[in-house]
Amino acid sequence: MAPAFLPYSACMKQACGVLILLFGVAAVAAEPPFYHDKFNLLYYIDAGGERREVRTRKDWQKRRQHILENMQVVMGPVPGEPKPPLDVKVIREDDWRSVIRRKITYQAKKGDRVNAYLFIPKNRKGRMPAMVVPHPTSTRFGKGIVAGVGGRPRRASALELAERGYVTIAPDFPYMGEPQMNPYDLGYVSSTMKGIYNHMRAIDLLQSMDEVDPERIGAIGHSLGGHNSLFLAAFDERVKVAVTSCGFNSFPQYYNGDLRGWSQDKYMPRIADLYDNDPDKVPFDFTEILGAIAPRPVFINAPINDGNFEVYGVRQCVDAALPVYTRIFGAHDSLVAYYPTAGHDFPDETRWRAYHFLDWWLKGRKAPAP
């Protein structure tokens, strides 16, 4: 069996196949089928290469499996077992408003430690819901942006949600925040997959805590954190609800189909190396990622003046995913998109809507309709 991690050059040679490693279940799969129409999610390609209509949840699982496999062709395989002990180390603890803020490190893989902020509300009443909070792009501050350290108050979701009664954790993303090992030296094919695994291990950490209800965990992020929240939710079904702010649009609408922004070392180099930064060649799109999360709830903040992720491309993704939510799962209230008049931002009023959405799904409280 192939190892869980391969040198980058070896992974390039394995582009014709995928090593599926989800929660320690390893199997080598043949190359997944390529879906030319990523805006129609209600079909799948069978073992004989024939196109079949998705009519049932069982049918949908076939398409969903192909989506996850094609994501791993680009991102590299999800690491599997063995998982070493988290070996959490507290670097510093601060009394911060109504919460305790801990600066910690935890072990992702042997010899690979991740820096993070962990917030715990002081007024604990039983086991609390928890959130993984991937941070937006910030080479200097990294996780500090969402922890209220980087001077960006509209980005401080880890702190704000802790003040609302959530345990929150915010890990550093590769190349950002505090120094960490180069993901490619560790055998990852992309920084994106390293970030996904860091966040999966953050869920392991949350579930190990006495303060946390392990069945009420979500993810929220803006920009870089916005798409990382979706990636995490797609691969890890322990994420019960996701919020993505300014985090995506369809690849054809991303800078008129120029995907160079997605193929940097801090993202997915294979988009350039194997697919020429051409959205017609990349084997997955965000239309499919939203569908892969169904029927779990997703709140989308997509400002109409976002210069990074043009809003028409967001609407395309929502329109493509809605039939999966509604026709396959009957989950008519689970996919919510809000389009404020703003730029690449997470405005206060929109953020409060997102937080109420989380309260509705993780605390059973009524959320106002966007």
Side-chain angles (χ1 to χ4, degrees):
M1 181 177 292
F5 291 99
L6 295 173
Y8 183 67
S9 60
C11 288
M12 291 289 290
K13 294 176 183 178
Q14 285 206 169
C16 60
V18 182
L19 179 62
I20 306 300
L21 287 160
L22 295 174
F23 307 114
V25 180
V28 178
E31 180 182 6
F34 185 91
Y35 286 78
H36 292 279
D37 186 356
K38 300 178 182 64
F39 293 87
N40 177 6
L41 302 188
L42 296 185
Y43 79 98
Y44 69 94
I45 298 173
D46 67 17
E50 296 295 321
R51 178 169 168 153
R52 304 291 185 185
E53 184 179 355
V54 170
R55 296 180 179 179
T56 67
R57 296 181 184 185
K58 184 177 180 180
D59 292 338
W60 169 246
Q61 289 306 315
K62 298 171 185 176
R63 177 67 184 269
R64 183 178 186 271
Q65 182 64 28
H66 291 158
I67 293 168
L68 298 181
E69 290 174 359
N70 275 314
M71 289 173 70
Q72 290 175 93
V73 169
V74 180
M75 300 174 177
V78 177
E81 302 290 356
K83 286 184 179 180
L86 288 161
D87 188 29
V88 178
K89 298 183 184 300
V90 178
I91 308 302
R92 187 176 69 246
E93 180 172 300
D94 302 309
D95 192 315
W96 186 268
R97 303 183 189 178
S98 62
V99 302
I100 299 297
R101 184 182 70 184
R102 292 175 182 160
K103 187 176 182 181
I104 66 169
T105 69
Y106 61 88
Q107 187 169 230
K109 284 286 185 179
K110 187 175 181 180
D112 173 25
R113 300 194 67 83
V114 180
N115 294 281
Y117 278 116
L118 177 67
F119 287 90
I120 303 173
K122 292 179 184 176
N123 297 322
R124 173 186 171 188
K125 295 181 180 179
R127 289 190 170 228
M128 295 174 284
M131 297 294 297
V132 179
V133 189
H135 64 77
T137 300
S138 175
T139 302
R140 178 183 177 188
F141 292 107
K143 63 189 177 301
I145 293 291
V146 295
V149 175
R152 303 289 298 278
R154 291 195 297 274
R155 305 289 185 267
S157 291
L159 172 59
E160 290 176 340
L161 284 168
E163 292 178 326
R164 292 177 73 95
Y166 292 80
V167 176
T168 64
I169 187 169
D172 272 328
F173 189 76
Y175 296 114
M176 299 181 196
E178 297 182 83
Q180 54 192 291
M181 296 186 71
N182 185 317
Y184 301 103
D185 291 342
L186 293 169
Y188 285 90
V189 168
S190 68
S191 293
T192 294
M193 182 51 71
K194 179 62 169 80
I196 292 168
Y197 193 63
N198 286 356
H199 296 134
M200 292 173 77
R201 292 293 275 158
I203 296 179
D204 292 342
L205 192 157
L206 291 173
Q207 289 192 319
S208 74
M209 296 176 62
D210 291 338
E211 295 90 346
V212 172
D213 180 343
E215 297 301 318
R216 290 191 291 157
I217 293 175
I220 182 172
H222 173 79
S223 194
L224 171 73
H227 43 259
N228 281 319
S229 293
L230 294 181
F231 296 153
L232 176 63
F235 282 114
D236 196 327
E237 294 187 22
R238 294 176 297 176
V239 176
K240 304 304 183 184
V241 56
V243 172
T244 175
S245 168
C246 300
F248 72 97
N249 61 0
S250 63
F251 281 152
Q253 291 298 314
Y254 179 81
Y255 290 96
N256 297 314
D258 182 352
L259 301 186
R260 284 179 292 179
W262 282 111
S263 61
Q264 305 170 60
D265 283 348
K266 67 180 179 181
Y267 290 110
M268 297 167 273
R270 280 187 171 178
I271 287 179
D273 297 338
L274 298 181
Y275 308 112
D276 304 318
N277 290 316
D278 183 346
D280 291 334
K281 297 179 181 179
V282 177
F284 76 90
D285 205 336
F286 280 93
T287 52
E288 298 174 302
I289 293 173
L290 284 182
I293 299 170
R296 288 168 290 152
V298 176
F299 180 98
I300 300 163
N301 170 44
I304 61 174
N305 297 318
D306 188 344
N308 290 45
F309 297 104
E310 186 273 330
V311 71
Y312 176 71
V314 180
R315 294 182 187 272
Q316 285 183 314
C317 295
V318 173
D319 288 345
L322 267 174
V324 179
Y325 275 85
T326 59
R327 291 170 58 181
I328 303 303
F329 291 101
H332 296 274
D333 299 324
S334 292
L335 184 60
V336 172
Y338 189 62
Y339 303 98
T341 302
H344 189 75
D345 197 7
F346 204 174
D348 290 344
E349 188 263 351
T350 310
R351 221 164 55 257
W352 304 146
R353 287 178 181 267
Y355 294 167
H356 281 294
F357 185 83
L358 293 173
D359 289 347
W360 168 251
W361 290 104
L362 295 179
K363 294 182 178 181
R365 295 178 180 171
K366 187 175 181 179

